[in-house]
Amino acid sequence: MNDNTYVRTEVRDSIATVTIDRQAKLNALNPQVIADIDAAFAGVRGDAGVRAVILTGAGDKAFVAGADIGVLATMTPRTGVAVSREGQEVLRRIERFPKPVVAAVGGYALGGGCELAIACHLRVASERARFGLPEVGLGIIPGYGGTVRLARLVGLGRAVEMVLTGDMITAERAAEIGLANLVVPHEELMERTRKLAGRIARNAPVALEMALRSMYEAVESSMEHAQELESTLFGLLASTDDMREGMAAFLEKRRAAFKGE
Ligand code: COA
């Protein structure tokens, strides 16, 4: 167990669970929370014993209820840009994290909390999860990549609808539009998320890293560049022991034991 002010990290069975814990404010993101999340991810990045990460919010009510409105209320044009940039950079590091990151959303994922969930690679929602981008009701717009990333996930029309109405959507609706990968009973949220992360973590770690890199690079580049990168990464994997192990295990009808090398 590794703790900082608002975030704790627990590693068990090759899965790191990063829990945002500022329950009195529904886990709202102030600069310290953002820094603590960043530090937690940096802490497990190079840990070969960690094969997947679960990001969640403490308590029964919220994943994260947004950026801290108390802090935002005091922003000037200059600090506003800085706050937005800082959040964007931390979320970008999560999106480009070399290990799979699964968000476990058991309550409100609003504003920056919704953007944080979207920056993760997969989202498991409990039936109590609520997603929304209510910023325009506060006179601002999503500033942690929400106007950019949501449309890539659910399509421009649905993203525009969520951003312009500011309405919350249910877990069921989130799954319908591709915002949530899976909806589970509330009491089973962590267990089912661990199961999914565990299934992913059984696969070859370098292959997982390269698959993420190829897919996330592809949505930001031309078909030509993306396919060239895919071929390069595909070929690069021939240098790994894990490729030999994975194929040998198949041929020998046994389960592969990957080392991440
Ligand atoms: N920033 C700062 N504080 C927040 C917060 C946020 N984004 N979201 C919740 N809180 C605080 C509340 O101010 C309250 O603090 P207090 O007890 O000191 O007054 C505490 O968390 C509990 O929230 P409360 O509003 O009493 O809970 P609720 O169950 O009645 O409502 C929400 C829950 C999520 C609907 C409501 O808190 C809300 O609308 N939050 C803001 C969501 C938002 O606009 N996020 C985007 C920000 S850009």
Side-chain angles (χ1 to χ4, degrees):
M1 185 86 108
N2 201 336
D3 296 350
N4 46 31
T5 312
Y6 293 117
V7 174
R8 50 178 193 273
T9 306
E10 185 200 0
V11 179
R12 183 157 53 91
D13 301 333
S14 310
I15 297 168
T17 301
V18 174
T19 305
I20 302 164
D21 191 351
R22 191 187 176 215
Q23 290 182 60
K25 298 288 180 190
L26 302 186
N27 305 325
L29 304 171
N30 66 18
Q32 187 62 52
V33 180
I34 292 274
D36 288 354
I37 294 169
D38 201 29
F41 275 88
V44 295
R45 191 184 175 93
D47 185 341
V50 172
R51 302 245 174 127
V53 181
I54 294 172
L55 178 63
T56 195
D60 249 9
K61 277 188 77 174
F63 174 70
V64 165
D68 191 313
I69 298 170
V71 175
L72 293 180
T74 65
M75 80 178 176
T76 65
R78 229 163 61 83
T79 63
V81 172
V83 161
S84 170
R85 289 301 292 165
E86 179 62 26
Q88 283 175 348
E89 283 164 18
V90 172
L91 268 55
R92 178 72 166 164
R93 282 192 279 277
I94 293 174
E95 181 175 63
R96 288 306 182 99
F97 205 65
K99 305 169 197 280
V101 181
V102 187
V105 181
Y108 295 113
L110 302 177
C114 186
E115 293 170 295
L116 183 59
I118 293 166
C120 296
H121 302 132
L122 295 160
R123 283 147 296 281
V124 179
S126 93
E127 288 160 345
R128 289 195 206 161
R130 294 290 178 272
F131 296 86
L133 292 167
E135 282 88 347
V136 292
L138 297 165
I140 54 174
I141 63 172
Y144 293 167
T147 65
V148 181
R149 214 171 255 130
L150 181 61
R152 291 181 181 172
L153 193 60
V154 304
L156 185 59
R158 286 165 174 150
V160 167
E161 183 182 345
M162 282 184 72
V163 171
L164 296 193
T165 62
D167 288 347
M168 286 186 218
I169 61 168
T170 61
E172 195 187 10
R173 176 69 184 148
E176 265 169 29
I177 66 173
L179 178 48
N181 294 85
L182 191 66
V183 183
V184 300
H186 187 70
E187 316 71 53
E188 294 175 21
L189 176 64
M190 293 316 292
E191 182 198 326
R192 297 281 296 273
T193 308
R194 282 192 72 80
K195 219 175 217 172
L196 175 63
R199 234 165 59 226
I200 291 169
R202 278 206 299 271
N203 295 314
V206 186
L208 291 172
E209 178 181 348
M210 297 307 160
L212 284 170
R213 208 163 127 194
S214 188
M215 285 187 286
Y216 280 87
E217 195 71 41
V219 293
E220 293 176 26
S221 59
S222 67
M223 178 65 81
E224 197 178 331
H225 171 80
Q227 295 212 120
E228 199 177 315
L229 178 67
E230 183 186 63
S231 304
T232 303
L233 298 175
F234 181 83
L236 195 62
L237 287 164
S239 69
T240 62
D241 291 343
D242 283 351
M243 186 198 87
R244 277 175 285 283
E245 166 62 11
M247 295 189 187
F250 176 81
L251 295 172
E252 292 160 20
K253 302 190 188 307
R254 61 176 174 82
R255 193 155 155 178
F258 294 120
K259 294 197 301 259
E261 292 167 5

